Structure formats: structure tokens, C-alpha cells
Amino acid sequence: MKIKRAAAAAVFAASIAALAGGAYAAGGASGPKVAYMAQGNIGEVMVNPYRIAPLTAVIRNGGYVITNATVTVLPKEGGQTISYKVSDENLRTHGGVPVFGLYADYLNTVEVEYDRHFNGKTEHFKDRYQFYTAPVFLRSNGTPGQSHTTFDLKVEKMDKAFSDRLYFINNLIPSPPDASRVVWNNPMGGALEWAFGPENAIIDTTGAVRWYLMPDLEMYDPDQPYKSGILMGFQQTVDGGLVFGYGQRYAKYDMIGREIFNRRLPINYADYSHGLDAAENGHIFLRVSSSDLRRLDGKRVHTVRDVIAEVDADGKVVDEFRLFDILDPYRDNVIKALDQGAVCLNIDASQAGKTLSAEELAEMDKDDKFGDIAGVGAGRNWAHVNSVDYDPTDDSIIISSRHQSAIIKIGRDKQVKWILASPEGWKGDLAKKVLTPVDKNGKPIKCEDSKCEGDFDWTWTQHTAWRVDSKSTKDVIYVSAFDNGDARGMEQPALAGDKYTRGVMYKIDQKKMTVEQVYEVGKKEGNPFYSPVTGLAKYMADKDSFVVYYSTSGLSGPSGGMKGPIKPHPYLAEYKFGSTDPSVLIRFQDTMGYQAWPFDVKLAFDPAGVAK
């Protein structure tokens, strides 16, 4: 026993001596040498460095100063090359070269050019790297409606003029059983249970996934009410970031997955969904709801999708637009005509084709029915605002209200400037703000019972009412919208197959208070492209084109009494402006779409270079 103790003491003493002399055993610090493999002339490769973007990487700088970098991800056979310049700011931020656009489940080849500075010497290198990335992972919702990971798609048409496009896809996983298990209380109402799973990715023009978001539990957790919700309204900002919101949060990340901020909504608000707008001054306009509204009858409720909160860069609320005070929350013309089988993402096949009566709406007030239900009055889904767009030329906002089938401009003074909608049901001063439809010569168009002569039509249960900045002036603005088409003409058609969806653009003379329809697509495709809920239409100045995401084509099944899993097949189309035939057409299979739009990789990694 004494011999063993002596031996142990000797080993301990030797260890202390070794530490004092700077010799470290395995498992200790590495000393001045880094042992990771470096394929090129700088540092090691870290795949998915921020844990939420698996098809990205950072090639570490290896302790050098590097500048003037360019990244090229080489394509698979028949694939699409992705190449972009990286600003020095991004090189410093990530401690190396950020790599975007990798293929999943593939040994990728990446070429990187850069200048390396060391000890007063600058050298230019062109390195080639190879590394593997794992398959795409997608959460299961436990239903037969899912049959694949992101995405099962077919590129049906691709004009060469658009072959360099990347498309950001904001889709949803309906009703995962670990979500939507809690509701608001004290007060009741709101839409906390609106919590579908995320399916967000970027595809190239061959249909390959080149980026996707895989939120970790720090970012998104369906078991936690303040970390769940639906990731919606993604927008690429002027500095290359990605801003979006979900449930009780709004956030901004870069494309490598680095968190810029991820904040709880200010406590006065709840239930972000659908859309936001990041203004150039750093403010963000968030479509939210009131977390505690005292109605005129004394009842306190969470409201539903009827507040715009403006927050500054520090998260302070600098202004708010309380739409139940600005508009008429009891205008019921559209709500009575809605197909109750598909009220946005509240899909209920048993209610397909049914509408609400004035008596049923009035009964809700008597029975204290509040929450995410189609109805009138604050505390119900009377407005369903699904987009907001800030117009800096007159310091106003443009909103899309699905359940009013109206596009509305509201000034900083909270006064309505104009309403693009059928005149039915608007009262008092609001009735005076309804725009007059005119033809290309400025002649008024005859309209009666929510229908007009010729090709002019209003939007019905629309989404994404956005100002077309490149075409607009202060007095005359162009507005694009995704016209879903439910309750068209303030009625349900005799046959569900008569419904159709449009992408449409209007020209609005704000002084004359007139509106001219200048462009539409999708009408001739008819019911096969009909998307009763969600969707996007957006003008793209870079290619003078019009992008339309028919996000829920095939979801019209419930109106025909469809049973079993609902499997939409969205179409992503891009048109040369003026044409009604798409130059790009991509069909997605068995996925619930929300929005899709062209993604700018150059803006993501070199925003200053794009601005020049």
C-alpha cells in the first residue's frame, strides 16, 4: 500500500512539473498550433457554423487577414453555378469566407479567390475545397400528407433569361401535433394556436435545394408558446439580412445563420403573422394584434390580425395603427360571402362552400365568441391583414385586408387616404375614399353589384399588396397584389370550378382618386391554379418581370367535398412583364405554400457592391 501511494504521489508531482513547464497532455489546450485540416492556404472548413443553416459553411481565415474574396460553388452535372463576391465586412464578421449554396447529401466542390495579408506581404490565392453536407432534414407532422423532405418539384418551364435565378420558398407544415396546444387567457381571443411547422428553403432553377433553415430549439420550439408560431413574411433587407417573424417574435439573421436579433414582441402586442416591412431607416412595420383591448362594451380581448406596430432598431414602439379604430370592424359584406372551408390557413373541409349570415355574425357578440374565427368586431378575424408596405414618399402604409377584400392606404395621421375595393358596405367618410375604376383613357368604368364592365376587377381575399417602387411617383403609384379570388363579386359561384386566381397590377392616381388595372396574369389558367389562401405577386425590376406564387393550387379540394389528406401542389411562375405566358413555371408537389420570391445572393454577401 505504501509503495502504491508513493508511486501515485510521484505521478502527481510529475504532472505538476509538466504543467509548470508548459507541456500539455492530450485533452488539454493545443498551444500555439491548430491541428485542424486546412485544404487551402488559410484555415479549416466549418459546415453549418451557426447550427441553423446546414447548407452553409465558413472557411476560417487561419489567423490571417483576408480581403477581396469571391466564392464559386461548382454545380453538379447539369446544375447551376452559384458565384458571389464577399465584402470585407462579412469576412471579418464570420472570421473567414462564408460559403452559401451547397448541395445537400453531396461532396461539394467550392472555389475561393482572395487576398491574404501577413507580415507586410499580400498574396493572391485561388483555392479549391471539397466537403460533404448532410441530407435535408424536415420535421414530420405525423400525417400521410407528407411524403418527402424539402422539396418534391418539377421545373416545367425555364427561359434562359431567368436561369441564374434563386428562389426563396416560404412554405408550411400543417398542424404538427406538438404545436397548437395552447390558447390565450386573461384576456381570451387572439391566434396563439396558429403554429404550423417551418419549411423554408432556397432552390435554384434546376429545382435543387441550395439552402434551408433548420431552426434549433433556441430559435424555435413548438412546445414553448413564446418560441412557436409560423415563420412568415421573410424579406431580404437592403443590408443583405433576412428579416421575418413568427408568433410572439420577430427576428433578423444573415444567410449563414448568424443571429442579428431575435426579440419578443413588445408586450402590448401579440400574434405576429403573414407580413412585415423593413423600412430603409431601420424601422420595421409588424402586422400584429393587440394583446389586451377593452372593447366599447367593456369586454377585454386579444384582437386578431388588425394592428400594425412600428418598431425602431432598438425595438421601441414608435407608432401603431389600430385598424379597429381606423376602419369599420363591422363591415360584413365580404365575410358573409367567404367560403368557410378555407379561411386563410384555417382549413375545414366540413365547412366547404358554406357562408355566414348576418344573424350568425350578430349572435357571436351575444355569446362572447372571440378568437381566430371569421366574424365582425374587435376580437375576431374581421380584417385579416396579411401585408403591410411603407411608402416613404408620403409617410404612409399600404395594407391588404383579406376579410375586407380591400387594399387600403393610411397616413401617419391615421386617416385613410384611399381604398381599392368594391364600394359595397363602406359608410360615411370611408365611402368617400373608395377609388373610382377608370380605363386607360381615364374614363370611368361602369360597376354595379361588385362587378365591372370589361376586364377590370377588384381583388378578392387578396395577399401582398405592395407598392411598385420602380414604377411609382409621389402622386401616381403602381400597386401589385395576389388576387386569391374567393368571394369574387361578393358571392360564391354556382360551381367551385369557376374560381380562379390572378396576379394583378394597378395604377393609382392619388390626386384624382382613380384606379386603372394595367396588368393581370393567371385568369386564363383558371381553376387548376386557383389558390384559395396565401400567395404572392411581386414585380421584379432587375428583369422587368412579374413573379406569382400560386401557393395553394389543389387546395380547392375541400370545396368539392374532398376527404382525406389535403395535398396542394403550388406553382411558382415568373412572367416577362406584359406577357400572360410564364417564362418560368415550377410545380411543387404535396406542400402547403405561403410565399416565394427571387433571392439575391449578391445582396446577401456584398450589399455595398450591389448598391453601387
Side-chain angles (χ1 to χ4, degrees):
M1 181 66 71
K2 290 182 179 179
I3 294 175
K4 289 182 178 180
R5 287 177 178 173
V11 170
F12 179 74
S15 299
I16 294 297
L19 288 171
Y24 292 81
S30 66
K33 181 180 179 180
V34 175
Y36 299 119
M37 174 185 175
Q39 297 183 49
N41 292 282
I42 43 177
E44 65 277 11
V45 177
M46 296 183 66
V47 176
N48 192 14
Y50 300 103
R51 302 186 299 177
I52 64 170
L55 301 186
T56 68
V58 169
I59 304 170
R60 298 294 300 275
N61 59 29
Y64 298 103
V65 173
I66 54 176
T67 60
N68 194 32
T70 300
V71 175
T72 301
V73 181
L74 299 185
K76 294 180 177 181
E77 184 177 354
Q80 180 177 336
T81 299
I82 293 179
S83 186
Y84 56 90
K85 181 175 172 55
V86 182
S87 68
D88 292 350
E89 180 182 70
N90 269 308
L91 295 173
R92 292 189 292 267
T93 298
H94 295 289
V97 182
V99 179
F100 165 92
L102 301 168
Y103 290 99
D105 192 20
Y106 186 69
L107 183 64
N108 288 271
T109 300
V110 180
E111 292 181 347
V112 181
E113 283 194 69
Y114 56 92
D115 291 332
R116 191 184 77 179
H117 308 272
F118 182 66
N119 196 25
K121 182 180 180 181
T122 298
E123 297 176 278
H124 184 77
F125 291 97
K126 184 175 183 179
D127 296 339
R128 174 171 286 205
Y129 296 81
Q130 286 193 312
F131 50 92
Y132 174 80
T133 49
V136 171
F137 173 81
L138 185 67
R139 290 163 49 88
S140 172
N141 68 355
T143 77
Q146 279 181 298
S147 59
H148 51 81
T149 58
T150 307
F151 292 101
D152 180 9
L153 61 83
K154 180 182 179 182
V155 179
E156 297 189 353
K157 191 175 182 181
M158 183 58 62
D159 189 302
K160 287 184 178 180
F162 297 87
S163 61
D164 60 343
R165 278 285 198 228
L166 296 171
Y167 294 102
F168 189 101
I169 312 298
N170 179 189
N171 280 7
L172 320 167
I173 303 174
S175 305
D178 56 353
S180 304
R181 291 184 175 270
V182 293
V183 295
W184 289 120
N185 195 31
N186 290 321
M188 67 175 293
L192 180 60
E193 65 272 29
W194 231 53
F196 290 8
E199 186 179 17
N200 305 295
I202 293 174
I203 61 169
D204 65 21
T205 54
T206 71
V209 172
R210 306 298 293 270
W211 180 94
Y212 76 99
L213 182 64
M214 189 173 72
D216 60 11
L217 289 179
E218 289 185 17
M219 177 183 179
Y220 174 84
D221 184 353
D223 284 334
Q224 304 298 323
Y226 291 102
K227 285 189 176 181
S228 65
I230 307 178
L231 278 70
M232 305 179 87
F234 288 83
Q235 185 178 109
Q236 195 173 10
T237 55
V238 293
D239 61 1
L242 196 64
V243 64
F244 56 97
Y246 54 106
Q248 314 315 312
R249 311 193 74 83
Y250 68 106
K252 184 177 181 180
Y253 289 74
D254 71 18
M255 297 311 299
I256 305 299
R258 181 182 66 90
E259 179 183 318
I260 300 169
F261 63 76
N262 189 320
R263 299 171 178 153
R264 275 271 307 269
L265 292 177
I267 198 168
N268 201 36
Y269 309 97
D271 301 338
Y272 167 89
S273 67
H274 287 88
L276 52 74
D277 189 36
E280 291 187 3
N281 64 355
H283 290 196
I284 301 176
F285 292 81
L286 301 165
R287 205 309 330 280
V288 291
S289 64
S290 171
S291 64
D292 188 358
L293 173 71
R294 187 179 295 273
R295 291 165 37 110
L296 294 179
D297 57 12
K299 298 172 183 177
R300 292 169 65 182
V301 295
H302 273 80
T303 69
V304 181
R305 306 186 184 95
D306 54 8
V307 176
I308 306 297
E310 180 185 359
V311 296
D312 67 13
D314 296 323
K316 293 181 291 187
V317 183
V318 297
D319 205 352
E320 64 178 0
F321 297 76
R322 293 156 52 101
L323 300 175
F324 39 78
D325 291 334
I326 299 169
L327 302 174
D328 178 6
Y330 286 92
R331 178 179 181 258
D332 61 4
N333 302 67
V334 177
I335 291 173
K336 289 188 295 186
L338 292 177
D339 184 343
Q340 295 300 307
V343 182
C344 196
L345 294 176
N346 300 325
I347 309 300
D348 184 354
S350 69
Q351 298 298 308
K354 296 181 180 179
T355 57
L356 290 173
S357 68
E359 291 75 18
E360 288 172 318
L361 292 173
E363 197 66 27
M364 290 180 183
D365 263 353
K366 297 178 183 179
D367 294 342
D368 286 351
K369 291 182 178 179
F370 297 106
D372 190 9
I373 54 176
V376 294
R380 303 185 189 91
N381 198 4
W382 68 273
H384 199 102
V385 174
N386 52 39
S387 75
V388 56
D389 191 20
Y390 177 65
D391 184 349
T393 63
D394 60 0
D395 195 23
S396 64
I397 60 170
I398 299 170
I399 64 165
S400 163
S401 172
R402 181 185 194 269
H403 289 182
Q404 298 295 312
S405 283
I407 300 169
I408 305 167
K409 192 172 198 183
I410 304 170
R412 179 65 68 181
D413 59 2
K414 312 305 181 294
Q415 297 299 306
V416 171
K417 289 179 175 290
W418 50 254
I419 299 171
L420 173 51
S422 165
E424 281 193 58
W426 300 101
K427 301 174 183 177
D429 289 339
L430 292 177
K432 301 174 185 177
K433 302 296 184 180
V434 176
L435 297 171
T436 299
V438 296
D439 62 19
K440 63 181 181 180
N441 298 315
K443 182 181 178 181
I445 296 173
K446 183 180 179 180
C447 299
E448 189 174 351
D449 296 330
S450 294
K451 300 177 181 65
C452 296
E453 294 181 346
D455 293 329
F456 182 90
D457 199 0
W458 293 284
T459 56
W460 300 95
T461 61
Q462 75 291 320
H463 288 71
T464 63
W466 292 331
R467 181 182 189 268
V468 182
D469 294 341
S470 61
K471 291 180 176 290
S472 300
T473 64
K474 184 175 181 179
D475 294 330
V476 178
I477 71 170
Y478 288 74
V479 174
S480 62
F482 184 80
D483 174 14
N484 293 80
D486 186 34
R488 189 177 299 281
M490 218 71 84
E491 63 184 8
Q492 289 294 315
L495 299 174
D498 291 340
K499 294 182 178 182
Y500 60 89
T501 292
R502 304 183 302 158
V504 62
M505 185 181 293
Y506 298 99
K507 177 183 177 182
I508 297 172
D509 189 317
Q510 299 183 113
K511 287 188 173 181
K512 295 180 180 178
M513 292 291 287
T514 60
V515 56
E516 175 193 349
Q517 180 178 297
V518 296
Y519 183 52
E520 68 172 2
V521 295
K523 186 175 181 178
K524 70 176 184 178
E525 281 78 8
N527 193 252
F529 279 42
Y530 172 63
S531 297
V533 299
T534 71
L536 174 145
K538 184 178 184 179
Y539 176 77
M540 299 300 301
D542 64 335
K543 293 183 183 292
D544 189 25
S545 62
F546 200 52
V547 174
V548 181
Y549 190 38
Y550 302 93
S551 55
T552 49
S553 301
L555 191 62
S556 53
S559 294
M562 178 179 176
K563 296 181 179 180
I566 299 170
K567 296 184 175 183
H569 47 265
Y571 288 96
L572 174 58
E574 187 162 5
Y575 303 79
K576 293 178 181 177
F577 191 73
S579 173
T580 58
D581 294 318
S583 297
V584 174
L585 187 62
I586 302 173
R587 174 177 166 139
F588 297 79
Q589 191 64 34
D590 299 348
T591 181
M592 178 70 77
Y594 179 58
Q595 293 182 351
W597 42 268
F599 172 80
D600 189 343
V601 66
K602 293 180 172 60
L603 176 64
F605 295 99
D606 187 23
V610 171
K612 291 179 180 177

